[in-house]
Amino acid sequence: MADTYKIAVASSDGIVVNQHFGHSRSFYIYDVSGDTAAFTGEIRMLVPVCQTGNHDDDRLTENLRALSDCKYLLVQKIGTEAAARAESLGISPYEIPDIIGDAINKLVSYEKVQSLFKKG
């Protein structure tokens, strides 16, 4: 059976991975099974972590918990603290600013190659 998981994508338009994690309001949720990714139709609207130049630690935790059912997080950029906190919740963040479908394909391909090194 193919591995299935969710990817949260930080995007302002649903077309391009174009949002910094801390500034993003909308996260498009994709289901991946094997080599196939499909938009679930779900857009999670969150209050941005960074507003008016201030970083809200509580909001960071809340937003990451709201995405905690996702295995991966695709963003244009993410700070080191936010990335570390995502990892601590089991979410692997990747900075892949690209067309969403292309970014997901890059991630899936990368993870396949990485899994080859873990076997054996």
Side-chain angles (χ1 to χ4, degrees):
M1 180 172 184
D3 189 25
T4 60
Y5 52 88
K6 292 182 183 205
I7 299 175
V9 179
S11 178
S12 65
D13 59 10
I15 299 169
V16 179
V17 181
N18 62 359
Q19 292 288 292
H20 184 290
F21 173 75
H23 299 163
S24 188
R25 295 182 180 281
S26 51
F27 292 85
Y28 291 74
I29 307 302
Y30 284 78
D31 281 331
V32 178
S33 179
D35 292 334
T36 305
F39 177 54
T40 65
E42 180 183 4
I43 304 169
R44 295 187 191 167
M45 302 303 291
L46 304 176
V47 177
V49 173
C50 302
Q51 294 186 38
T52 64
N54 295 319
H55 177 250
D56 185 331
D57 283 335
D58 292 334
R59 177 71 53 206
L60 172 61
T61 300
E62 288 174 26
N63 286 2
L64 287 171
R65 284 191 180 139
L67 300 172
S68 65
D69 63 323
C70 299
K71 183 175 181 179
Y72 298 106
L73 174 62
L74 288 179
V75 297
Q76 180 181 32
K77 288 297 261 180
I78 188 168
T80 55
E81 180 183 343
R85 299 225 349 234
E87 289 279 353
S88 74
L89 291 174
I91 306 167
S92 297
Y94 285 91
E95 294 179 349
I96 309 177
D98 203 339
I99 302 296
I100 291 174
D102 293 343
I104 289 173
N105 287 335
K106 288 175 184 177
L107 172 62
V108 169
S109 295
Y110 173 78
E111 286 297 317
K112 277 186 180 180
V113 169
Q114 292 302 305
S115 71
L116 294 174
F117 293 105
K118 293 176 185 173
K119 292 181 179 178

PDB file of all heavy atoms in Angstrom, residues 7-11 17-22 24 27 67 72-79 93-98 103:
ATOM      1  N   ILE A   7       0.138  17.477   2.982  1.00  0.00           N
ATOM      2  CA  ILE A   7       1.094  18.576   2.852  1.00  0.00           C
ATOM      3  C   ILE A   7       0.320  19.877   2.999  1.00  0.00           C
ATOM      4  O   ILE A   7      -0.720  20.063   2.367  1.00  0.00           O
ATOM      5  CB  ILE A   7       1.797  18.563   1.482  1.00  0.00           C
ATOM      6  CG1 ILE A   7       2.591  17.273   1.287  1.00  0.00           C
ATOM      7  CG2 ILE A   7       2.698  19.785   1.334  1.00  0.00           C
ATOM      8  CD1 ILE A   7       3.215  17.138  -0.093  1.00  0.00           C
ATOM      9  N   ALA A   8       0.824  20.776   3.844  1.00  0.00           N
ATOM     10  CA  ALA A   8       0.261  22.122   3.973  1.00  0.00           C
ATOM     11  C   ALA A   8       1.130  23.062   3.148  1.00  0.00           C
ATOM     12  O   ALA A   8       2.352  23.051   3.264  1.00  0.00           O
ATOM     13  CB  ALA A   8       0.246  22.566   5.431  1.00  0.00           C
ATOM     14  N   VAL A   9       0.494  23.870   2.306  1.00  0.00           N
ATOM     15  CA  VAL A   9       1.210  24.760   1.394  1.00  0.00           C
ATOM     16  C   VAL A   9       0.847  26.207   1.711  1.00  0.00           C
ATOM     17  O   VAL A   9      -0.326  26.586   1.670  1.00  0.00           O
ATOM     18  CB  VAL A   9       0.855  24.439  -0.074  1.00  0.00           C
ATOM     19  CG1 VAL A   9       1.592  25.381  -1.019  1.00  0.00           C
ATOM     20  CG2 VAL A   9       1.167  22.983  -0.408  1.00  0.00           C
ATOM     21  N   ALA A  10       1.868  27.018   1.998  1.00  0.00           N
ATOM     22  CA  ALA A  10       1.658  28.444   2.280  1.00  0.00           C
ATOM     23  C   ALA A  10       1.568  29.187   0.953  1.00  0.00           C
ATOM     24  O   ALA A  10       2.558  29.305   0.230  1.00  0.00           O
ATOM     25  CB  ALA A  10       2.800  28.994   3.127  1.00  0.00           C
ATOM     26  N   SER A  11       0.365  29.663   0.635  1.00  0.00           N
ATOM     27  CA  SER A  11       0.143  30.323  -0.648  1.00  0.00           C
ATOM     28  C   SER A  11      -0.927  31.393  -0.514  1.00  0.00           C
ATOM     29  O   SER A  11      -1.922  31.199   0.185  1.00  0.00           O
ATOM     30  CB  SER A  11      -0.300  29.293  -1.696  1.00  0.00           C
ATOM     31  OG  SER A  11      -0.568  29.903  -2.941  1.00  0.00           O
ATOM     32  N   VAL A  17       3.678  28.489  -4.312  1.00  0.00           N
ATOM     33  CA  VAL A  17       4.190  28.519  -2.944  1.00  0.00           C
ATOM     34  C   VAL A  17       4.896  29.874  -2.822  1.00  0.00           C
ATOM     35  O   VAL A  17       6.006  30.045  -3.311  1.00  0.00           O
ATOM     36  CB  VAL A  17       5.190  27.367  -2.677  1.00  0.00           C
ATOM     37  CG1 VAL A  17       5.675  27.417  -1.232  1.00  0.00           C
ATOM     38  CG2 VAL A  17       4.582  26.013  -3.002  1.00  0.00           C
ATOM     39  N   ASN A  18       4.213  30.844  -2.208  1.00  0.00           N
ATOM     40  CA  ASN A  18       4.740  32.216  -2.257  1.00  0.00           C
ATOM     41  C   ASN A  18       4.631  32.965  -0.932  1.00  0.00           C
ATOM     42  O   ASN A  18       4.709  34.182  -0.911  1.00  0.00           O
ATOM     43  CB  ASN A  18       4.032  33.015  -3.357  1.00  0.00           C
ATOM     44  CG  ASN A  18       2.544  33.165  -3.119  1.00  0.00           C
ATOM     45  OD1 ASN A  18       2.003  32.656  -2.141  1.00  0.00           O
ATOM     46  ND2 ASN A  18       1.881  33.857  -4.016  1.00  0.00           N
ATOM     47  N   GLN A  19       4.487  32.233   0.160  1.00  0.00           N
ATOM     48  CA  GLN A  19       4.327  32.897   1.447  1.00  0.00           C
ATOM     49  C   GLN A  19       5.375  32.431   2.454  1.00  0.00           C
ATOM     50  O   GLN A  19       5.683  31.239   2.559  1.00  0.00           O
ATOM     51  CB  GLN A  19       2.940  32.603   2.031  1.00  0.00           C
ATOM     52  CG  GLN A  19       1.804  33.236   1.256  1.00  0.00           C
ATOM     53  CD  GLN A  19       1.761  34.732   1.460  1.00  0.00           C
ATOM     54  OE1 GLN A  19       1.466  35.195   2.552  1.00  0.00           O
ATOM     55  NE2 GLN A  19       2.081  35.478   0.424  1.00  0.00           N
ATOM     56  N   HIS A  20       5.895  33.401   3.203  1.00  0.00           N
ATOM     57  CA  HIS A  20       6.735  33.117   4.371  1.00  0.00           C
ATOM     58  C   HIS A  20       5.806  32.512   5.414  1.00  0.00           C
ATOM     59  O   HIS A  20       4.675  32.980   5.597  1.00  0.00           O
ATOM     60  CB  HIS A  20       7.344  34.425   4.875  1.00  0.00           C
ATOM     61  CG  HIS A  20       8.293  34.270   6.015  1.00  0.00           C
ATOM     62  ND1 HIS A  20       7.879  33.922   7.281  1.00  0.00           N
ATOM     63  CD2 HIS A  20       9.635  34.425   6.081  1.00  0.00           C
ATOM     64  CE1 HIS A  20       8.928  33.865   8.079  1.00  0.00           C
ATOM     65  NE2 HIS A  20      10.012  34.168   7.373  1.00  0.00           N
ATOM     66  N   PHE A  21       6.255  31.471   6.097  1.00  0.00           N
ATOM     67  CA  PHE A  21       5.392  30.804   7.081  1.00  0.00           C
ATOM     68  C   PHE A  21       4.784  31.799   8.065  1.00  0.00           C
ATOM     69  O   PHE A  21       3.583  31.779   8.322  1.00  0.00           O
ATOM     70  CB  PHE A  21       6.162  29.722   7.848  1.00  0.00           C
ATOM     71  CG  PHE A  21       5.352  29.147   8.973  1.00  0.00           C
ATOM     72  CD1 PHE A  21       4.317  28.271   8.719  1.00  0.00           C
ATOM     73  CD2 PHE A  21       5.594  29.516  10.290  1.00  0.00           C
ATOM     74  CE1 PHE A  21       3.535  27.765   9.751  1.00  0.00           C
ATOM     75  CE2 PHE A  21       4.831  29.012  11.327  1.00  0.00           C
ATOM     76  CZ  PHE A  21       3.798  28.133  11.050  1.00  0.00           C
ATOM     77  N   GLY A  22       5.596  32.673   8.618  1.00  0.00           N
ATOM     78  CA  GLY A  22       5.127  33.597   9.644  1.00  0.00           C
ATOM     79  C   GLY A  22       4.161  34.654   9.164  1.00  0.00           C
ATOM     80  O   GLY A  22       3.463  35.269   9.962  1.00  0.00           O
ATOM     81  N   SER A  24       1.957  33.984   6.457  1.00  0.00           N
ATOM     82  CA  SER A  24       0.878  33.348   5.701  1.00  0.00           C
ATOM     83  C   SER A  24      -0.422  33.276   6.496  1.00  0.00           C
ATOM     84  O   SER A  24      -0.429  32.910   7.673  1.00  0.00           O
ATOM     85  CB  SER A  24       1.295  31.946   5.272  1.00  0.00           C
ATOM     86  OG  SER A  24       0.332  31.402   4.401  1.00  0.00           O
ATOM     87  N   PHE A  27      -3.273  28.250   4.185  1.00  0.00           N
ATOM     88  CA  PHE A  27      -2.508  27.033   3.934  1.00  0.00           C
ATOM     89  C   PHE A  27      -3.419  26.067   3.172  1.00  0.00           C
ATOM     90  O   PHE A  27      -4.464  25.669   3.683  1.00  0.00           O
ATOM     91  CB  PHE A  27      -2.025  26.417   5.241  1.00  0.00           C
ATOM     92  CG  PHE A  27      -0.991  27.263   5.937  1.00  0.00           C
ATOM     93  CD1 PHE A  27      -1.383  28.291   6.780  1.00  0.00           C
ATOM     94  CD2 PHE A  27       0.357  27.061   5.709  1.00  0.00           C
ATOM     95  CE1 PHE A  27      -0.436  29.096   7.406  1.00  0.00           C
ATOM     96  CE2 PHE A  27       1.307  27.858   6.327  1.00  0.00           C
ATOM     97  CZ  PHE A  27       0.918  28.875   7.178  1.00  0.00           C
ATOM     98  N   LEU A  67      -1.721  22.658  11.992  1.00  0.00           N
ATOM     99  CA  LEU A  67      -1.193  21.963  10.806  1.00  0.00           C
ATOM    100  C   LEU A  67      -0.556  20.619  11.170  1.00  0.00           C
ATOM    101  O   LEU A  67       0.050  19.973  10.321  1.00  0.00           O
ATOM    102  CB  LEU A  67      -0.158  22.848  10.109  1.00  0.00           C
ATOM    103  CG  LEU A  67      -0.662  24.206   9.623  1.00  0.00           C
ATOM    104  CD1 LEU A  67       0.506  25.058   9.133  1.00  0.00           C
ATOM    105  CD2 LEU A  67      -1.723  24.048   8.545  1.00  0.00           C
ATOM    106  N   TYR A  72       4.275  17.382   5.933  1.00  0.00           N
ATOM    107  CA  TYR A  72       5.177  18.371   5.352  1.00  0.00           C
ATOM    108  C   TYR A  72       4.523  19.737   5.299  1.00  0.00           C
ATOM    109  O   TYR A  72       3.291  19.857   5.208  1.00  0.00           O
ATOM    110  CB  TYR A  72       5.578  17.963   3.931  1.00  0.00           C
ATOM    111  CG  TYR A  72       6.315  16.661   3.875  1.00  0.00           C
ATOM    112  CD1 TYR A  72       5.696  15.516   3.403  1.00  0.00           C
ATOM    113  CD2 TYR A  72       7.632  16.564   4.310  1.00  0.00           C
ATOM    114  CE1 TYR A  72       6.362  14.304   3.352  1.00  0.00           C
ATOM    115  CE2 TYR A  72       8.315  15.358   4.263  1.00  0.00           C
ATOM    116  CZ  TYR A  72       7.675  14.228   3.781  1.00  0.00           C
ATOM    117  OH  TYR A  72       8.339  13.039   3.743  1.00  0.00           O
ATOM    118  N   LEU A  73       5.373  20.747   5.297  1.00  0.00           N
ATOM    119  CA  LEU A  73       4.959  22.135   5.180  1.00  0.00           C
ATOM    120  C   LEU A  73       5.804  22.768   4.086  1.00  0.00           C
ATOM    121  O   LEU A  73       7.034  22.791   4.185  1.00  0.00           O
ATOM    122  CB  LEU A  73       5.188  22.843   6.526  1.00  0.00           C
ATOM    123  CG  LEU A  73       4.964  24.342   6.607  1.00  0.00           C
ATOM    124  CD1 LEU A  73       3.516  24.688   6.299  1.00  0.00           C
ATOM    125  CD2 LEU A  73       5.347  24.840   7.999  1.00  0.00           C
ATOM    126  N   LEU A  74       5.161  23.223   3.021  1.00  0.00           N
ATOM    127  CA  LEU A  74       5.862  23.890   1.923  1.00  0.00           C
ATOM    128  C   LEU A  74       5.665  25.389   2.048  1.00  0.00           C
ATOM    129  O   LEU A  74       4.529  25.869   2.123  1.00  0.00           O
ATOM    130  CB  LEU A  74       5.330  23.427   0.571  1.00  0.00           C
ATOM    131  CG  LEU A  74       5.684  22.018   0.135  1.00  0.00           C
ATOM    132  CD1 LEU A  74       5.061  21.719  -1.224  1.00  0.00           C
ATOM    133  CD2 LEU A  74       7.176  21.829   0.073  1.00  0.00           C
ATOM    134  N   VAL A  75       6.769  26.120   2.067  1.00  0.00           N
ATOM    135  CA  VAL A  75       6.735  27.569   2.241  1.00  0.00           C
ATOM    136  C   VAL A  75       7.761  28.225   1.324  1.00  0.00           C
ATOM    137  O   VAL A  75       8.677  27.566   0.823  1.00  0.00           O
ATOM    138  CB  VAL A  75       7.048  27.964   3.705  1.00  0.00           C
ATOM    139  CG1 VAL A  75       5.999  27.421   4.667  1.00  0.00           C
ATOM    140  CG2 VAL A  75       8.429  27.486   4.114  1.00  0.00           C
ATOM    141  N   GLN A  76       7.609  29.532   1.160  1.00  0.00           N
ATOM    142  CA  GLN A  76       8.638  30.283   0.451  1.00  0.00           C
ATOM    143  C   GLN A  76       9.855  30.442   1.357  1.00  0.00           C
ATOM    144  O   GLN A  76      10.985  30.256   0.939  1.00  0.00           O
ATOM    145  CB  GLN A  76       8.107  31.643   0.016  1.00  0.00           C
ATOM    146  CG  GLN A  76       9.130  32.471  -0.730  1.00  0.00           C
ATOM    147  CD  GLN A  76       8.592  33.820  -1.118  1.00  0.00           C
ATOM    148  OE1 GLN A  76       7.767  34.408  -0.419  1.00  0.00           O
ATOM    149  NE2 GLN A  76       9.041  34.314  -2.246  1.00  0.00           N
ATOM    150  N   LYS A  77       9.607  30.785   2.625  1.00  0.00           N
ATOM    151  CA  LYS A  77      10.655  30.934   3.636  1.00  0.00           C
ATOM    152  C   LYS A  77      10.070  30.549   4.994  1.00  0.00           C
ATOM    153  O   LYS A  77       8.875  30.655   5.214  1.00  0.00           O
ATOM    154  CB  LYS A  77      11.155  32.380   3.733  1.00  0.00           C
ATOM    155  CG  LYS A  77      12.007  32.867   2.587  1.00  0.00           C
ATOM    156  CD  LYS A  77      13.281  32.113   2.440  1.00  0.00           C
ATOM    157  CE  LYS A  77      14.448  32.835   3.047  1.00  0.00           C
ATOM    158  NZ  LYS A  77      15.688  32.101   2.910  1.00  0.00           N
ATOM    159  N   ILE A  78      10.979  30.138   5.899  1.00  0.00           N
ATOM    160  CA  ILE A  78      10.594  29.868   7.282  1.00  0.00           C
ATOM    161  C   ILE A  78      11.822  30.139   8.150  1.00  0.00           C
ATOM    162  O   ILE A  78      12.945  29.786   7.775  1.00  0.00           O
ATOM    163  CB  ILE A  78      10.065  28.425   7.474  1.00  0.00           C
ATOM    164  CG1 ILE A  78       9.474  28.231   8.883  1.00  0.00           C
ATOM    165  CG2 ILE A  78      11.116  27.398   7.132  1.00  0.00           C
ATOM    166  CD1 ILE A  78       8.685  26.930   9.042  1.00  0.00           C
ATOM    167  N   GLY A  79      11.613  30.775   9.273  1.00  0.00           N
ATOM    168  CA  GLY A  79      12.707  31.052  10.188  1.00  0.00           C
ATOM    169  C   GLY A  79      13.207  29.790  10.866  1.00  0.00           C
ATOM    170  O   GLY A  79      12.497  28.775  10.930  1.00  0.00           O
ATOM    171  N   PRO A  93       9.397  21.015   7.426  1.00  0.00           N
ATOM    172  CA  PRO A  93       9.222  22.183   6.564  1.00  0.00           C
ATOM    173  C   PRO A  93      10.251  22.198   5.428  1.00  0.00           C
ATOM    174  O   PRO A  93      11.402  21.808   5.618  1.00  0.00           O
ATOM    175  CB  PRO A  93       9.461  23.353   7.518  1.00  0.00           C
ATOM    176  CG  PRO A  93      10.405  22.815   8.535  1.00  0.00           C
ATOM    177  CD  PRO A  93      10.101  21.352   8.664  1.00  0.00           C
ATOM    178  N   TYR A  94       9.805  22.641   4.256  1.00  0.00           N
ATOM    179  CA  TYR A  94      10.683  22.778   3.103  1.00  0.00           C
ATOM    180  C   TYR A  94      10.423  24.119   2.436  1.00  0.00           C
ATOM    181  O   TYR A  94       9.269  24.508   2.235  1.00  0.00           O
ATOM    182  CB  TYR A  94      10.436  21.659   2.081  1.00  0.00           C
ATOM    183  CG  TYR A  94      10.996  20.331   2.510  1.00  0.00           C
ATOM    184  CD1 TYR A  94      10.225  19.430   3.224  1.00  0.00           C
ATOM    185  CD2 TYR A  94      12.309  19.994   2.216  1.00  0.00           C
ATOM    186  CE1 TYR A  94      10.741  18.209   3.627  1.00  0.00           C
ATOM    187  CE2 TYR A  94      12.840  18.773   2.613  1.00  0.00           C
ATOM    188  CZ  TYR A  94      12.047  17.890   3.313  1.00  0.00           C
ATOM    189  OH  TYR A  94      12.560  16.683   3.721  1.00  0.00           O
ATOM    190  N   GLU A  95      11.496  24.805   2.094  1.00  0.00           N
ATOM    191  CA  GLU A  95      11.409  26.057   1.337  1.00  0.00           C
ATOM    192  C   GLU A  95      11.530  25.718  -0.139  1.00  0.00           C
ATOM    193  O   GLU A  95      12.627  25.454  -0.642  1.00  0.00           O
ATOM    194  CB  GLU A  95      12.523  27.011   1.757  1.00  0.00           C
ATOM    195  CG  GLU A  95      12.395  27.494   3.177  1.00  0.00           C
ATOM    196  CD  GLU A  95      13.528  28.423   3.604  1.00  0.00           C
ATOM    197  OE1 GLU A  95      14.543  28.541   2.883  1.00  0.00           O
ATOM    198  OE2 GLU A  95      13.398  29.025   4.684  1.00  0.00           O
ATOM    199  N   ILE A  96      10.395  25.681  -0.828  1.00  0.00           N
ATOM    200  CA  ILE A  96      10.378  25.375  -2.262  1.00  0.00           C
ATOM    201  C   ILE A  96       9.432  26.370  -2.942  1.00  0.00           C
ATOM    202  O   ILE A  96       8.273  26.054  -3.223  1.00  0.00           O
ATOM    203  CB  ILE A  96       9.932  23.924  -2.552  1.00  0.00           C
ATOM    204  CG1 ILE A  96      10.725  22.912  -1.713  1.00  0.00           C
ATOM    205  CG2 ILE A  96      10.092  23.615  -4.044  1.00  0.00           C
ATOM    206  CD1 ILE A  96      10.287  21.471  -1.882  1.00  0.00           C
ATOM    207  N   PRO A  97       9.899  27.596  -3.195  1.00  0.00           N
ATOM    208  CA  PRO A  97       9.044  28.571  -3.880  1.00  0.00           C
ATOM    209  C   PRO A  97       8.921  28.207  -5.360  1.00  0.00           C
ATOM    210  O   PRO A  97       9.896  28.273  -6.108  1.00  0.00           O
ATOM    211  CB  PRO A  97       9.783  29.895  -3.676  1.00  0.00           C
ATOM    212  CG  PRO A  97      11.204  29.521  -3.447  1.00  0.00           C
ATOM    213  CD  PRO A  97      11.195  28.144  -2.832  1.00  0.00           C
ATOM    214  N   ASP A  98       7.745  27.767  -5.746  1.00  0.00           N
ATOM    215  CA  ASP A  98       7.521  27.278  -7.105  1.00  0.00           C
ATOM    216  C   ASP A  98       6.016  27.156  -7.318  1.00  0.00           C
ATOM    217  O   ASP A  98       5.233  27.376  -6.380  1.00  0.00           O
ATOM    218  CB  ASP A  98       8.196  25.905  -7.266  1.00  0.00           C
ATOM    219  CG  ASP A  98       8.526  25.550  -8.712  1.00  0.00           C
ATOM    220  OD1 ASP A  98       7.914  26.127  -9.642  1.00  0.00           O
ATOM    221  OD2 ASP A  98       9.397  24.683  -8.918  1.00  0.00           O
ATOM    222  N   ALA A 103       6.349  22.100  -6.917  1.00  0.00           N
ATOM    223  CA  ALA A 103       6.979  22.022  -5.595  1.00  0.00           C
ATOM    224  C   ALA A 103       6.667  20.692  -4.926  1.00  0.00           C
ATOM    225  O   ALA A 103       7.555  20.057  -4.338  1.00  0.00           O
ATOM    226  CB  ALA A 103       6.517  23.185  -4.719  1.00  0.00           C
TER     227      ALA A 103
END
